[in-house]
Amino acid sequence: LVIPHGQTLTIHDGVSLRVADSVTITVDGTLDAGSSTISSVGSGSRWGGLMIGDNAVATTNLLGTQIVEAAPLITMDGPASVNIVDAILSRSAAGEPLIRVTLSSSGDISIVNTMFSDGGSFCIEAQGPTQISITASIMSTCGGDSLWLRSTPLSISALEVEDGIDLAGVTGTISDLTGTNLTLFNIDGLEMENLELDGSITGIDNRELIING
């Protein structure tokens, strides 16, 4: 299914949309989803997920949406805008993250009060210039690190993670993080405060790094 440039697909509250094995929904226009569920057809199958953005006006708004059983659930691959609020993202295929942001993506993704669980590799795997903002969210059983980020500008606050976080070349701020192990490589411009970690902070080749609280 392709949502063309200039067109909008609206999924209203209460709707259950079931997508066949390996089938994708490509967002070149606008996707507005409310308190609905987008899932596979069951029996262990995995749909292909949301493929978002090969243009600057592609927009996806997931407001209270539950997205499950895809491979991965969301892929950003262009200068798009994604807003995820009060959502549930769960159960990607083996070896696949819940959200993947590719190197060619250059948009922004904002995540607020969202629960991530049961990833096949990571909860979020991202690289490149896409601006990532995560607020008041929880990540558990990600299948690997909760966050695997490379060279992304980020803003994280009030995030609770069960698995480790692996950051390389990122910039921005992290505050009120509750988690385990934090691994930092090649950091040149990252400020962190109010960290509550059961594990450790490790890494090499870091330059401008500020830790408060």
Side-chain angles (χ1 to χ4, degrees):
L1 173 66
V2 177
I3 305 170
H5 182 281
Q7 302 293 320
T8 299
L9 171 65
T10 302
I11 303 175
H12 289 291
D13 292 350
V15 169
S16 178
L17 174 62
R18 304 182 73 187
V19 187
D21 190 42
S22 301
V23 172
T24 60
I25 298 175
T26 299
V27 184
D28 293 333
T30 300
L31 170 62
D32 289 329
S35 297
S36 55
T37 300
I38 307 176
S39 67
S40 74
V41 294
S43 300
S45 63
R46 290 291 186 270
W47 63 290
L50 300 176
M51 308 291 292
I52 300 173
D54 65 354
N55 63 80
V57 297
T59 302
T60 298
N61 299 305
L62 306 174
L63 309 179
T65 314
Q66 180 171 319
I67 301 181
V68 297
E69 300 165 351
L73 276 63
I74 298 172
T75 300
M76 287 187 67
D77 192 29
S81 179
V82 177
N83 301 296
I84 304 173
V85 181
D86 299 331
I88 296 175
L89 305 180
S90 182
R91 304 199 298 280
S92 58
E96 297 285 357
L98 297 176
I99 295 179
R100 172 175 287 136
V101 180
T102 71
L103 189 60
S104 61
S105 179
S106 58
D108 61 90
I109 179 169
S110 175
I111 300 167
V112 178
N113 195 35
T114 291
M115 298 188 65
F116 296 77
S117 67
D118 300 307
S121 60
F122 308 108
C123 278
I124 299 179
E125 171 194 299
Q127 51 187 325
T130 295
Q131 175 71 47
I132 297 176
S133 173
I134 305 173
T135 304
S137 296
I138 298 174
M139 299 179 178
S140 63
T141 57
C142 292
D145 291 315
S146 298
L147 298 175
W148 186 92
L149 308 181
R150 296 294 184 266
S151 302
T152 56
L154 56 85
S155 174
I156 294 175
S157 62
L159 174 63
E160 180 179 339
V161 300
E162 182 180 278
D163 304 297
I165 292 177
D166 190 328
L167 308 177
V170 303
T171 57
T173 60
I174 298 175
S175 62
D176 300 309
L177 171 67
T178 302
T180 56
N181 296 313
L182 182 59
T183 304
L184 305 170
F185 295 100
N186 195 29
I187 301 299
D188 191 8
L190 178 65
E191 182 172 356
M192 302 185 295
E193 62 179 1
N194 297 334
L195 306 180
E196 184 176 341
L197 303 178
D198 290 335
S200 60
I201 300 176
T202 59
I204 58 173
D205 295 333
N206 298 305
R207 293 171 295 281
E208 185 66 23
L209 178 64
I210 301 171
I211 304 174
N212 293 318

